[in-house]
Amino acid sequence: MSSREQILAAAKQNTLKRYNKPDYTELEKQALTFDNKIEKFCEMMKAVGGQVAVLEEGQNINDVIKAHFPDAKRIATNLKEVTCLGQPQAITCATFHPDDVEKPGELNGTDLAILQGHLGVCENAAVWVKQDMEQRTIFFISEAIVLIVDRNTLVNNMHEAYKKVETGDMGYATFISGPSKTADIEQALVMGAHGARVALAILV
């Protein structure tokens, strides 16, 4: 039994009174929906401090990445290819696989990480990213991240998102919405406080 399972089992054993799960059906009926999901996702990604590119017919995804990050030298990804507008494209701009290193700290100094997003949420530009490599530190330690999102996986709101998300074989996943940011100190917004300073979502 894992430590997580032990904690959940202990909590369940010591729960004195249990309540039925509330019915969110009425709330879900009031949730935001959008006529143009791509347009709304782009709007919200910019609103949260991120950048967005919608891949067009004939464009090469590597050229798009290089155009946004011309100075990036150390580029990490575990993706060999991605499907862009129904056609496979090889990822050739990366320089190493995150699992090439033995310790997470060795990823420090990574200029750019290219990650597969499994769905995007239009109401807040959150992108669901699952761990599909050993070194998940790459999600947070790189200076910038690229989130590759299939435009057909965009959902309107978090109600819809939570019905679709799952953590995959490695049991870890997270939502990433734009670059890292905090306003804890004097209510001044700071980008890149505890994660990527720049985030680019590419809709393919």
Side-chain angles (χ1 to χ4, degrees), residues 11 23 30 52 64 94 108 112 122 124 163 170-171 179 181 183-184 193:
D23 184 358
Q30 300 173 38
V52 64
V64 173
N108 190 29
L112 179 65
C122 295
N124 57 12
K163 291 178 180 179
M170 303 191 82
K181 46 197 167 292
D184 289 345

Side-chain angles (χ1 to χ4, degrees), residues 90-106:
I91 299 294
T92 59
C93 60
T95 60
F96 76 104
H97 191 296
D99 289 346
D100 289 345
V101 306
E102 293 184 7
K103 298 179 181 179
E106 295 176 50

Side-chain angles (χ1 to χ4, degrees), residues 74 96 98-108 110 134-138 141:
R74 195 177 183 212
F96 76 104
D99 289 346
D100 289 345
V101 306
E102 293 184 7
K103 298 179 181 179
E106 295 176 50
L107 293 169
N108 190 29
T110 300
E134 187 68 27
Q135 301 292 358
R136 69 186 184 200
T137 305
I138 198 64
I141 202 170

Side-chain angles (χ1 to χ4, degrees), residues 31-69:
L32 294 171
T33 58
F34 308 99
D35 294 330
N36 190 323
K37 291 188 179 72
I38 293 176
E39 183 180 277
K40 188 63 182 180
F41 181 84
C42 293
E43 175 191 336
M44 292 309 299
M45 180 58 74
K46 293 173 183 176
V48 298
Q51 304 172 23
V52 64
V54 181
L55 202 71
E56 298 179 2
E57 194 75 40
Q59 275 189 309
N60 185 284
I61 194 168
N62 298 281
D63 294 337
V64 173
I65 293 171
K66 289 176 182 177
H68 279 82
F69 304 98

Side-chain angles (χ1 to χ4, degrees), residues 5-204:
E5 291 169 335
Q6 289 176 347
I7 292 170
L8 292 175
K12 186 176 182 179
Q13 184 178 358
N14 291 281
T15 300
L16 300 179
K17 189 173 183 179
R18 300 183 183 183
Y19 300 89
N20 293 327
K21 181 180 177 181
D23 184 358
Y24 294 116
T25 304
E26 290 304 313
L27 281 176
E28 290 175 359
K29 290 178 182 177
Q30 300 173 38
L32 294 171
T33 58
F34 308 99
D35 294 330
N36 190 323
K37 291 188 179 72
I38 293 176
E39 183 180 277
K40 188 63 182 180
F41 181 84
C42 293
E43 175 191 336
M44 292 309 299
M45 180 58 74
K46 293 173 183 176
V48 298
Q51 304 172 23
V52 64
V54 181
L55 202 71
E56 298 179 2
E57 194 75 40
Q59 275 189 309
N60 185 284
I61 194 168
N62 298 281
D63 294 337
V64 173
I65 293 171
K66 289 176 182 177
H68 279 82
F69 304 98
D71 299 324
K73 298 292 189 294
R74 195 177 183 212
I75 303 174
T77 193
N78 67 326
L79 302 174
K80 293 183 178 180
E81 67 175 28
V82 293
T83 300
C84 302
L85 296 171
Q87 299 296 321
Q89 287 192 24
I91 299 294
T92 59
C93 60
T95 60
F96 76 104
H97 191 296
D99 289 346
D100 289 345
V101 306
E102 293 184 7
K103 298 179 181 179
E106 295 176 50
L107 293 169
N108 190 29
T110 300
D111 297 315
L112 179 65
I114 303 170
L115 308 173
Q116 180 67 63
H118 294 277
L119 64 79
V121 186
C122 295
E123 72 173 347
N124 57 12
V127 176
W128 184 249
V129 181
K130 294 190 291 188
Q131 181 183 2
D132 49 10
M133 65 193 86
E134 187 68 27
Q135 301 292 358
R136 69 186 184 200
T137 305
I138 198 64
F139 291 8
F140 313 105
I141 202 170
S142 61
E143 292 295 309
I145 55 173
V146 169
L147 303 166
I148 299 175
V149 184
D150 184 336
R151 66 189 71 191
N152 296 311
T153 67
L154 294 178
V155 297
N156 288 294
N157 51 63
M158 294 299 286
H159 293 283
E160 294 178 12
Y162 276 119
K163 291 178 180 179
K164 293 176 176 287
V165 297
E166 46 91 16
T167 58
D169 295 337
M170 303 191 82
Y172 178 84
T174 186
F175 279 111
I176 298 177
S177 181
S180 164
K181 46 197 167 292
T182 184
D184 289 345
I185 302 173
E186 296 184 355
Q187 296 183 343
L189 183 62
V190 177
M191 296 290 184
H194 41 67
R197 295 190 294 175
V198 180
L200 167 68
I202 302 179
L203 296 180
V204 297

